[in-house]
Amino acid sequence: MAARIFDDPGFDVRPAGQPLIFSIDDTGTTPDRFVVIVKRSNVYTGGTPVQVAKFYLTPNTEGVAFFDLSPIAESILEFPLKAGSTVVHKTATLADAMDGLTMQRFQVQVARYNSGTEGSVDDTEEVIVTNGTQQIADGLHPSFNDYLWGNDVGFLTERPVVNNVITHRARRDEEFVVSFIDGDDIGEARTGTFTLRANFVPYTGSASEQVIGAAYTGTDVRQMLLQIMAGGPNFSLQYLAVPFTLEETDYVDIYLHEATGGQVGNAYRVVFDDTRGCRNTATQVAWINTRGGWEYLRFDSRAPKQISVEGKTFRKTIGTYGEATFSFDPAGSQYDTFAKTGKEQYTLQENFFDVNERALLDSLMKSRMVQIRRMDEDVWKPVTVLTNSLTIQPAGSQFYNVSLQVEIAQDIRC
């Protein structure tokens, strides 16, 4: 007799926000309890995983217990905010691994517990988990294979694929990356030599293909989650080898390349378009989408700034009671505040979102990690999207007026 896991997500990449259900029963007599041990590791295979949780589950009337790994995984996983010492949106090289616990291999082990005695581990299953929020409506264990290297989509984006191309229109001064799982034998067998490439296409003249990174073949799980340079400023180092300038570039195609077979999977196409938002200071918004990758939108209209302050007011006794001669300081304040903090809010507006950009707003509203950057600033700031603040109105054929309120997710020190 032994405890067993008879249904599980499988050894593959899964987003932590979907149900990660492990179904447990016993090959013989149902025990008093099932013991569930959860461990994590940075290593793709092998190594000694670290135990992070232990549970004792009571079987139901059918002698079965169900365990959902997703709350544990979400509490441990971190968002990919840094690549080495660089803010992720400013990444200009693939050499740096993602910092922190951005992707982890989790082990779920089961054992029996009878009459106060805990048995040894009977069964072990594993899954690799990253951030993301796949919905129950997509199925209990929806396949994530489309988002692995070289597959149908390949990139961790919610932008649509049209004729094997994912299009992202951007101004040349936008900073952004595209997320990519460089999986080594995660559900797919790898043979051959792979590189990540960018094909720079000018308005006139010949294109220039550049290798921008080698496909990862190591065992560090974090390094399988790549953030590939995609914005104009991110490509600055590449233009040392490209025979024309960023201003002369029409678009850039990013894709996986196999040495003998050419392009694998889809291309992520960045089309440079400086015609929008030329009179105002635009605002970039970045968030972690349902695939666990970074997604971006640009709001071109002015973003009004609002600061609100709250604190407890108290009255002080004024006058020099501790001095030889009593006097008042007419400039002294009798009323003061403590626990005073401020909040900074912005109203983001855009008048010309197309259908695809409008669809991305659903993902933005649901994301737990959102950041903004005003185009006249260098810093990215974490924000909270205010509840019920999103308004969308049709604006002519296939365009939408959008308004959204965000609040800087850090207090202003007063």
Side-chain angles (χ1 to χ4, degrees):
M1 295 185 295
R4 63 165 186 162
I5 301 172
F6 66 88
D7 186 58
D8 62 273
F11 188 53
D12 214 330
V13 178
R14 303 288 179 185
Q18 77 170 83
L20 299 171
I21 306 296
F22 291 74
S23 303
I24 305 163
D25 69 359
D26 197 276
T27 57
T29 305
T30 302
D32 298 338
R33 302 284 190 277
F34 287 111
V35 184
V36 177
I37 302 168
V38 180
K39 299 180 179 180
R40 66 156 185 87
S41 175
N42 289 336
V43 183
Y44 171 61
T45 56
T48 304
V50 178
Q51 181 172 318
V52 294
K54 190 173 186 178
F55 302 91
Y56 294 85
L57 305 182
T58 302
N60 63 18
T61 55
E62 299 297 326
V64 178
F66 301 99
F67 172 70
D68 186 3
L69 176 63
S70 60
I72 305 300
E74 283 189 302
S75 68
I76 292 173
L77 289 172
E78 299 172 355
F79 294 104
L81 302 178
K82 290 286 189 71
S85 59
T86 304
V87 174
V88 65
H89 314 294
K90 299 178 179 293
T91 294
T93 174
L94 295 179
D96 293 327
M98 295 309 304
D99 288 353
L101 307 174
T102 54
M103 181 181 283
Q104 291 287 286
R105 174 170 62 98
F106 283 88
Q107 275 190 355
V108 176
Q109 299 179 328
V110 293
R112 296 162 51 87
Y113 184 89
N114 269 321
S115 303
T117 301
E118 183 177 322
S120 58
V121 173
D122 294 320
D123 196 9
T124 300
E125 296 292 345
E126 297 182 319
V127 62
I128 295 177
V129 181
T130 186
N131 273 301
T133 51
Q134 289 277 26
Q135 304 301 312
I136 294 175
D138 295 328
L140 183 60
H141 300 309
S143 173
F144 210 58
N145 285 343
D146 285 352
Y147 302 96
L148 301 185
W149 66 277
N151 287 358
D152 185 37
V153 176
F155 298 96
L156 297 179
T157 179
E158 293 177 306
R159 294 177 180 271
V161 181
V162 180
N163 297 326
N164 299 112
V165 174
I166 303 165
T167 300
H168 183 164
R169 303 188 72 86
R171 275 176 22 184
R172 287 173 173 80
D173 57 353
E174 289 185 52
E175 299 174 345
F176 61 92
V177 298
V178 56
S179 304
F180 181 81
I181 293 183
D182 191 8
D184 186 8
D185 291 327
I186 306 176
E188 299 289 337
R190 168 177 290 171
T191 58
T193 302
F194 292 84
T195 55
L196 287 159
R197 300 194 176 193
N199 191 38
F200 296 80
V201 180
Y203 289 111
T204 60
S206 301
S208 176
E209 186 181 57
Q210 303 291 327
V211 175
I212 59 175
Y216 184 65
T217 57
T219 59
D220 190 330
V221 179
R222 293 172 304 170
Q223 294 189 48
M224 296 175 187
L225 179 61
L226 299 182
Q227 312 297 334
I228 304 171
M229 64 189 95
N234 307 82
F235 280 127
S236 58
L237 294 177
Q238 299 301 313
Y239 278 95
L240 297 176
V242 176
F244 44 85
T245 66
L246 175 63
E247 286 68 27
E248 295 171 320
T249 304
D250 184 9
Y251 64 89
V252 179
D253 279 346
I254 302 166
Y255 51 86
L256 185 70
H257 185 274
E258 202 273 323
T260 59
Q263 180 178 326
V264 180
N266 298 311
Y268 192 93
R269 176 170 295 176
V270 180
V271 179
F272 293 117
D273 179 8
D274 290 339
T275 60
R276 281 171 48 181
C278 57
R279 297 191 176 199
N280 302 310
T281 299
T283 303
Q284 274 190 270
V285 180
W287 71 96
I288 295 292
N289 62 24
T290 63
R291 318 304 187 211
W294 284 104
E295 204 75 73
Y296 298 83
L297 281 175
R298 184 180 76 243
F299 290 78
D300 288 322
S301 298
R302 290 186 178 88
K305 177 180 176 180
Q306 197 173 17
I307 295 180
S308 59
V309 177
E310 60 182 26
K312 178 68 174 178
T313 301
F314 66 97
R315 188 179 69 177
K316 297 187 299 184
T317 301
I318 62 173
T320 56
Y321 289 94
E323 304 294 333
T325 302
F326 185 86
S327 64
F328 292 103
D329 179 4
S333 173
Q334 187 170 3
Y335 292 92
D336 206 344
T337 57
F338 66 92
K340 187 176 182 181
T341 58
K343 289 289 187 180
E344 188 175 312
Q345 294 182 3
Y346 291 90
T347 301
L348 308 181
Q349 300 175 79
E350 173 56 52
N351 297 325
F352 297 103
F353 272 164
D354 62 24
V355 174
N356 293 331
E357 290 169 319
R358 179 257 173 271
L360 288 174
L361 292 168
D362 294 343
S363 172
L364 169 60
M365 292 298 293
K366 293 183 290 188
S367 179
R368 292 187 294 123
M369 171 53 66
V370 184
Q371 296 184 336
I372 68 169
R373 178 181 81 98
R374 286 175 55 88
M375 302 295 281
D376 59 348
E377 297 178 344
D378 190 53
V379 64
W380 284 86
K381 300 178 181 179
V383 298
T384 300
V385 180
L386 299 188
T387 305
N388 299 328
S389 67
L390 175 63
T391 59
I392 302 174
Q393 295 179 335
S397 177
Q398 300 295 309
F399 285 104
Y400 298 88
N401 290 334
V402 174
S403 177
L404 180 70
Q405 286 185 303
V406 299
E407 183 176 85
I408 302 299
Q410 296 170 343
D411 285 338
I412 297 174
R413 302 296 295 272
C414 299

